[in-house]
Amino acid sequence: MSTIAAISTPRGVGGIAVIRVSGDDAAAVCGRIFLPKSGKAMDSYPAGTEVHGTFRDGSGDFDDGMAVLFRAPRSFTGEDTAEFSCHGGLLVQQRLLAACFAAGCVPAIPGEFSKRAFINGKLTLSQAEAIGGIIDARTDECLSAGLRQLGGSLSEEINGISHELVSAAAAICACADYPDEDITETTSEELKERLERVLGRLEALIKTHRYGKAISDGIKTVICGRPNTGKSTLMNRLCGEDRVIVSDSAGTTRDVVTETVRVGSVLLRLSDTAGIRDGAEGAEKSGIERSKSMIESAELILCVFDGSKDLTDDDRELIRATEPYRANTVCVMNKCDLGRCASPFEPAVYVSAKSGDNMAQLYELINSFAGKNDAGNGEIIVSARQHAAAVRCAEAVRDALTTLDGFTPDVAATDIARAAAAIGEIDGRTVGEEIVGEIFSHFCVGK
């Protein structure tokens, strides 16, 4: 494979910049563009030693900095790898990268270093995805999940499930292929017990994806209610700043205002919508139509009522409009500092968005909705790809269990093999090149 090079630090001016080189000619490239201050050749230093020296190209010396040479297979990519730290000026970065190209490197494509690490067996596909998750993490929980996955915790769980499935399929096939051998036959009941244990592990893993999505991508959340119930005040309270204009006049919010905010351990992709009421006209009416459309597509609805007053006709219309989405709806009884009326549905929480009273209860309810309790302290599936593979595996296991109710174990072998192939996709053992390429294409250049 060709020797690749790219800037690994963010583009722009900084204290330092790091250029990474990987491939068979990494050591030769290092020797051509970097001269240690000691005068010794870079090859004479033990692998992994950071060395101070001068960077040079065809026009002469242009910067001083540090270089480290890692030898295969003890490197991130599994190949010979050099990392150069230069001063962070734009001209210096570009000149050093150009020197690498002149010395024999080709430009790296997005995610190519990580892809080579996967190809060379240094990372599983789930660990490679964890790197992207760590880089993009916006919550401490997402960062922790990425670090655990990078450490191999998800791979261990997947390996355990895969081993159970492969062993079950092998036992069935051995009896079918070698009937005259002294092999203990696996009964349908024994196989069902084994598969039910596997299914339990899969279902527990699948459940965590709701929380994994909430801490990484966020939950599409809509704040809705009739005018003057305190929707915008609640939006500002959740944002921690005055993001929306608050007024006593009805119809102040005429368009959808969006913001991504952290609530407890999860992210909300939050939208404050126009107050829903009859008799609105013009721009306000258009805003209300958009509000209803947002409610239909929301993953979480915060339905806000003035908890100090009896329900109005507009409140009752909102209750009817959100009825089909009740499983995704939280009843927020606002202005609890002014009085308390009975909530129209559950779950409900009484708060004062203005003073902040009882907001902790709302945060707890939102985090519970996001699946925090299902995640526990174990492994969390963040990636939608991993979740889809686990779902397909669980479906195949259920098919095998159904088959075993009416047929002999050998008939279920196909379903078990399908389950093993699906779970193998998570770590990349049974995934195609097209999917691998798609995953790494979302990485930044230099990673």
Side-chain angles (χ1 to χ4, degrees):
M1 297 178 75
S2 57
T3 299
I4 55 174
I7 299 172
S8 289
T9 42
R11 297 302 174 100
V13 177
I16 65 168
V18 176
I19 283 78
R20 177 182 280 175
V21 173
S22 183
D24 293 341
D25 294 332
V29 169
C30 185
R32 292 178 190 130
I33 68 173
F34 181 77
L35 179 64
K37 290 290 188 180
S38 65
K40 298 191 296 184
M42 195 66 185
D43 276 348
S44 66
Y45 289 92
T49 303
E50 190 170 39
V51 180
H52 181 217
T54 302
F55 295 110
R56 58 178 49 177
D57 58 15
S59 299
D61 298 346
F62 61 86
D63 192 23
D64 69 337
M66 311 297 292
V68 184
L69 184 60
F70 302 97
R71 291 294 190 175
R74 297 178 180 275
S75 71
F76 173 73
T77 61
E79 305 171 331
D80 281 356
T81 302
E83 291 187 357
F84 305 122
S85 298
C86 64
H87 287 98
L90 293 175
L91 178 60
V92 174
Q93 295 178 52
Q94 292 302 323
R95 192 161 171 180
L96 179 51
L97 186 60
C100 292
F101 295 151
C105 295
V106 298
I109 61 175
E112 189 169 2
F113 292 95
S114 297
K115 184 176 181 180
R116 290 190 178 199
F118 167 68
I119 291 171
N120 292 327
K122 303 295 290 186
L123 293 173
T124 65
L125 204 54
S126 62
Q127 287 175 310
E129 285 178 307
I131 293 172
I134 290 170
I135 293 171
D136 296 334
R138 290 180 288 175
T139 66
D140 292 336
E141 292 73 17
C142 186
L143 179 59
S144 296
L147 287 171
R148 287 198 303 273
Q149 189 168 316
L150 181 59
S153 59
L154 179 60
S155 294
E156 289 178 8
E157 179 64 10
I158 296 308
N159 285 338
I161 293 172
S162 179
H163 175 74
E164 289 288 338
L165 292 170
V166 171
S167 296
I172 294 171
C173 293
C175 292
D177 293 343
Y178 303 101
D180 298 329
E181 298 293 330
D182 187 19
I183 300 174
T184 303
E185 185 174 355
T186 301
T187 67
S188 293
E189 288 305 313
E190 290 172 340
L191 193 57
K192 285 175 70 173
E193 288 180 9
R194 194 170 192 173
L195 292 178
E196 283 168 356
R197 287 196 299 271
V198 168
L199 185 59
R201 294 171 71 174
L202 282 167
E203 288 176 340
L205 201 57
I206 289 167
K207 270 187 174 182
T208 68
H209 181 247
R210 185 179 184 87
Y211 185 61
K213 183 176 182 293
I215 64 176
S216 58
D217 298 331
I219 303 170
K220 186 176 181 181
T221 305
V222 169
I223 300 175
C224 63
R226 66 171 173 82
N228 286 343
T229 55
K231 300 184 304 300
S232 295
T233 304
L234 179 62
M235 175 80 168
N236 290 338
R237 173 65 62 179
L238 291 170
C239 291
E241 62 179 344
D242 291 340
R243 179 65 178 83
V244 186
I245 296 173
V246 176
S247 171
D248 292 333
S249 300
T252 303
T253 302
R254 298 190 172 193
D255 203 353
V256 176
V257 180
T258 61
E259 192 71 64
T260 298
V261 301
R262 176 171 177 170
V263 175
S265 62
V266 304
L267 293 172
L268 300 183
R269 289 182 281 119
L270 196 61
S271 298
D272 178 27
T273 61
I276 298 175
R277 64 167 178 165
D278 288 331
E281 297 180 352
E284 185 185 357
K285 184 177 181 180
S286 297
I288 290 172
E289 291 304 315
R290 283 197 68 187
S291 298
K292 292 179 178 179
S293 177
M294 294 288 290
I295 289 171
E296 291 177 2
S297 62
E299 296 172 288
L300 173 62
I301 302 168
L302 300 181
C303 208
V304 184
F305 300 90
D306 184 340
S308 67
K309 298 179 180 179
D310 292 333
L311 296 178
T312 67
D313 289 341
D314 287 335
D315 286 327
R316 294 186 184 93
E317 176 57 32
L318 177 66
I319 293 169
R320 285 192 290 270
T322 56
E323 179 66 35
Y325 320 106
R326 191 64 74 233
N328 298 337
T329 305
V330 173
C331 177
V332 181
M333 302 298 287
N334 193 26
K335 306 184 183 181
C336 70
D337 52 327
L338 302 179
R340 291 198 180 196
C341 294
S343 64
F345 59 85
E346 297 293 333
V349 60
Y350 287 82
V351 305
S352 170
K354 185 175 182 179
S355 68
D357 290 350
N358 296 340
M359 287 299 294
Q361 294 180 22
L362 177 59
Y363 296 164
E364 185 177 342
L365 195 57
I366 290 171
N367 277 261
S368 177
F369 173 88
K372 184 176 182 179
N373 297 333
D374 291 330
N377 296 317
E379 187 53 52
I380 299 171
I381 287 185
V382 174
S383 161
R385 182 195 69 83
Q386 295 169 2
H387 176 254
V391 168
R392 287 196 300 274
C393 180
E395 289 172 349
V397 172
R398 291 190 192 97
D399 289 344
L401 287 167
T402 301
T403 299
L404 288 169
D405 284 335
F407 299 93
T408 55
D410 58 300
V411 182
T414 301
D415 292 326
I416 296 173
R418 183 159 54 90
I423 203 68
E425 291 180 18
I426 292 180
D427 271 347
R429 284 169 288 181
T430 58
V431 73
E433 174 61 29
E434 183 178 347
I435 294 176
V436 172
E438 171 65 18
I439 290 170
F440 288 107
S441 70
H442 294 290
F443 282 43
C444 59
V445 176
K447 191 57 199 170

